[in-house]
Amino acid sequence: MTMTRSALTRLAVGATLGAALVATAGAAGAAPKAPTPAVALQDFVSGPTSPEDIIEVPDSGVAIVSGLSDDPLSTSSVGHLYAIDAASRAVTEIWPDRAWGVEWDQARFPSCPGAPNPAIASPHGINLEARADGAYDLYVVNHGGREGVEIFRLDVRNGVDLTWTGCVTMPAGTFANGVAPLPGGDGFVVTNFFNPTKSDPFSQIFSDTPSGNLMRWDLAAGWSVVEDSALAGPNGVVVTRDGRTAFVAEWGARMVHRIPLDRSRAAATSAIGRASVAVPFLPDNLRLSRQGEVLVTGQDYVAANVIACQANDLANCPTGLHVIAVDPKRMTSRTLYAGDPANFRAPTVAAPVGDSIWVGAVKGARIAVLD
């Protein structure tokens, strides 16, 4: 969750979302697994500013973190990407200040206008997809200078090497929040949080009125809107490995939805049909646990709290941390952790990292580690 200062002037919300780790768990037909155990607060990782989204690079001991800028809807501030060694907790800034390469894949991203301007970098939701060469495609929602998704090649086999390879710009009147790649190079889905040209999207979201949707992009067809995905502040998103189902957080309505991406198969089997579950807070980024449950955290705020947090009015910006797990088939939820760590405000993502769950928050420079 975040609202920028310029967005406050326009009563617009720049609420956060992260994107999702594509995994087999939760797909129709997957073998049942033991549920994610309840967890306890262990300690904190300190260093990354406004750690809004987190994703672990598989089998590497490295987590990538998106540090949200103070004002994603303007060029007045700069955000960052970080790499964190899960064992040593060492934090390294990897974009835009650190050296990064440019190798534009114009066949894959022909409409991209060129490399992003690092002086106005504004990363938001992030995600990963394995490449055939042993590296990963790192998908980064970027608001800096253009609204779209930047794609980097990320290689952590010998240090951390980051190379920009292309981008996809969003349609006019959209604000990207989270991103999740579809399997087999079939493109990706993006949550369109709201229309930033509207005069009052913030009130729209908090009145449970659809403000955006889930959008899909591939090279052949370009952009399309996923059917039955109009939501009040669509935020976090995860996609099953078969690419047939998305789970989307509806921030304004305090709901998590299961949305079929393959409508023909959904019609044939109710196991992957549309379903929803209420959660006790404004749900932000989504990730999948090792056991295949959807991990959810967010903010137990009303509109006034959102405004206070973004204005650094900490007296009216509540602390607190609540992480739940959603069963992707039954669409039921259960609490993994609920507490009130000192000065921990605006949690946005609960992501598996090693044997722990790391929880990012856009206020401050700490990540909570749940053991």
Side-chain angles (χ1 to χ4, degrees):
M1 174 283 314
T2 196
M3 185 190 299
T4 68
R5 291 185 177 87
S6 65
L8 284 169
T9 303
R10 302 189 292 271
L11 289 178
V13 177
T16 61
L17 171 151
L21 176 63
V22 177
T24 55
K33 297 181 180 181
T36 307
V39 294
L41 178 63
Q42 181 185 28
D43 58 8
F44 295 91
V45 176
S46 298
T49 301
S50 300
E52 190 274 338
D53 202 6
I54 302 169
I55 190 164
E56 181 183 32
V57 183
D59 303 315
S60 70
V62 175
I64 304 300
V65 175
S66 172
L68 195 70
S69 66
D70 287 340
D71 194 344
L73 290 179
S74 79
T75 59
S76 64
S77 59
V78 176
H80 301 271
L81 296 176
Y82 304 92
I84 302 180
D85 185 293
S88 69
R89 308 288 177 85
V91 178
T92 303
E93 199 272 359
I94 60 172
W95 190 72
D97 295 344
R98 187 171 175 264
W100 49 283
V102 174
E103 295 178 8
W104 185 4
D105 185 345
Q106 297 192 45
R108 187 180 177 193
F109 306 110
S111 63
C112 178
N117 181 353
I120 52 174
S122 186
H124 199 159
I126 58 177
N127 214 325
L128 289 172
E129 183 177 28
R131 295 167 53 100
D133 61 7
Y136 290 85
D137 281 328
L138 174 62
Y139 296 82
V140 180
V141 169
N142 179 34
H143 310 292
R146 61 190 180 212
E147 190 66 27
V149 178
E150 311 291 343
I151 298 88
F152 296 85
R153 184 177 67 245
L154 174 72
D155 195 337
V156 297
R157 289 171 292 186
N158 185 23
V160 178
D161 182 70
L162 194 67
T163 302
W164 179 87
T165 61
C167 74
V168 177
T169 56
M170 293 287 293
T174 61
F175 181 84
N177 202 318
V179 57
L182 298 170
D186 288 341
F188 50 81
V189 292
V190 171
T191 47
N192 166 31
F193 190 72
F194 62 14
N195 182 346
T197 68
K198 295 283 188 181
S199 62
D200 196 1
F202 181 51
S203 294
Q204 183 180 14
I205 290 170
F206 275 93
S207 65
D208 198 18
T209 302
S211 63
N213 45 38
L214 183 65
M215 303 189 68
R216 180 172 185 158
W217 179 88
D218 64 60
L219 179 58
W223 286 107
S224 62
V225 174
V226 174
E227 185 178 348
D228 195 23
S229 69
L231 303 170
N235 202 310
V237 57
V238 293
V239 173
T240 54
R241 179 173 296 204
D242 60 13
R244 290 173 170 150
T245 307
F247 296 87
V248 181
E250 186 176 14
W251 192 72
R254 300 185 176 221
M255 301 284 288
V256 174
H257 303 280
R258 184 177 66 201
I259 300 177
L261 298 175
D262 184 339
R263 303 292 295 189
S264 61
R265 187 161 187 256
T269 170
S270 61
I272 59 169
R274 184 74 149 79
S276 305
V277 61
V279 296
F281 45 71
L282 305 169
D284 215 288
N285 297 318
L286 304 179
R287 294 289 179 205
L288 292 178
S289 74
R290 304 285 186 233
Q291 292 76 18
E293 294 174 297
V294 182
L295 297 179
V296 192
T297 192
Q299 314 86 40
D300 187 11
Y301 293 172
V302 296
N305 299 137
V306 177
I307 295 171
C309 288
Q310 292 307 310
N312 284 318
D313 175 11
L314 299 187
N316 295 299
C317 180
T319 59
L321 172 56
H322 194 168
V323 177
I324 67 173
V326 171
D327 183 307
K329 291 186 177 180
R330 298 178 180 87
M331 292 302 285
T332 56
S333 68
R334 62 192 183 87
T335 294
L336 297 182
Y337 177 87
D340 192 9
N343 299 319
F344 197 80
R345 292 175 170 86
T348 53
V349 60
V353 177
D355 294 329
S356 303
I357 295 174
W358 287 18
V359 183
V362 292
K363 299 305 295 182
R366 294 189 303 166
I367 294 170
V369 178
L370 306 179
D371 190 17

